[in-house]
Amino acid sequence: MKFNTKTIHGNQQHDPSTGAVMTPIYQTSTFAQSSPGVHKGYEYSRAANPTRTALENALASIENGTHGFAFGSGLAATDSVLKMLNPGDEIIAIDDLYGGSYRMFTRIYEKYGLKFHFVDMTNPENILDKINSNTKLIWVETPTNPLMKIADIEAICNLVKGKNILVAVDNTFASPYLQRPLDLGADIVMHSATKYLGGHSDVVAGALIVKDPELAEKIHFQLFAGGGILGPQDSYLVLRGIKTLHVRMQRHCENGKAVVEFLANHPKIDKVFHPGLTSHPNHEVAKKQMKDFGGMVSFTFKSGKQEDAAKFLKSLKVFTLAESLGGVESLANHPTTMTHASIPAEKRAEKGITDDLVRLSVGIEDIEDLLADLENALGLL
Ligand SMILES: *Cc1c(COP(=O)(O)O)cnc(C)c1O
């Protein structure tokens, strides 16, 4: 089955009890048993729920894994990966990491004895310096947020092959339409399904997908014993979202490309960050591992002024000033004061997240309206 069919039919079946074409929302906590211990595969919804099962099967299908798991948020999914580790274990994580993951690693898990190294993975060789016998996990995110850095997933997996080190990839920004890490050698794919998978800014959800049965068993244990499950209503919303993932992503990419071209040629814009630009330092790697380049774009102003970023953001009418990304509607974000405010100012500066940086999640509206909105807001500066 091809990807664009898998999003709709992958591992799905019509509801066995009624023939319902779309999996219903099984809004139930428990399931009747005909005699003690005799049931139809479901006992209690923390362990499994049919709506969540349908979503988990869809997740496995679209990421080319064997098992999917649906969590109450992207961070709950990440949390379950870390809880498989033991005190003393070391993790090498990409330095330009999602802020919430950084916060969890440093403020929750360091105190339980996990040790984190943050490394620039745009050159995969950089991880070699940090590998030792305690290294148990490599945490990759590509493209990164908000600077759209690209890490070569296959090269990283090859570097640790045979070393008993898991490679996990946060695939939120790319979505499986653009990039499938398990095919490139990764062990675990993580998603904030809140973003492109859900796609409609109406649900907070997370996912893990693996291709190894033993690892799947360990993750199911974390989900069941830790309890961070996704409820049936939210499972339904993500399952529904996935059915249009490919058509939405196609338009996100088209609109993203047009916005990048517009910004790159605008006299008031300085830098544009997007993996589709041939001037992007890792454009070749992006071309190799991604089908297209997505709808996430960041940029800075020639003036370098935070006031210009603020004025521009307040003037937008079609783009909404809001955190998050990956929905059908276009969003604009100011990392310094919004998504990346929890990172200390000097750390932000070190990373290149300047105060005039703006991040766009380009939606699937008519491109003429999006470009006119940007043009108008830039014209007011
Ligand atoms: C949003 C996001 C997360 C966290 O997911 P939640 O669903 O908000 O918990 C993790 N990684 C990336 C790249 C994200 O964009």
Side-chain angles (χ1 to χ4, degrees), residues 275-315:
L277 285 166
T278 49
S279 58
H280 184 289
N282 272 340
H283 174 68
E284 287 307 318
V285 176
K287 221 160 82 178
K288 181 182 75 166
Q289 70 187 12
M290 299 170 76
K291 181 186 169 77
D292 203 337
F293 304 107
M296 296 303 299
V297 185
S298 297
F299 62 92
T300 59
F301 295 83
K302 280 260 164 68
S303 70
K305 285 190 190 152
Q306 178 168 349
E307 300 97 273
D308 276 354
K311 190 163 182 209
F312 168 81
L313 288 165
K314 279 193 282 188
S315 310

Side-chain angles (χ1 to χ4, degrees), residues 73-75 98 101 141 145 170 172-173 190 192 194-195 204-205 325:
S73 70
L75 286 182
Y98 173 71
S101 307
E141 196 181 309
N145 174 19
D170 180 339
T172 301
F173 262 44
M190 174 262 160
S192 169
T194 313
K195 317 292 169 54
V204 172
L325 60 111

Side-chain angles (χ1 to χ4, degrees), residues 201-212:
S201 307
D202 54 6
V203 63
V204 172
L208 295 177
I209 302 104
V210 300
K211 58 183 178 186
D212 173 64

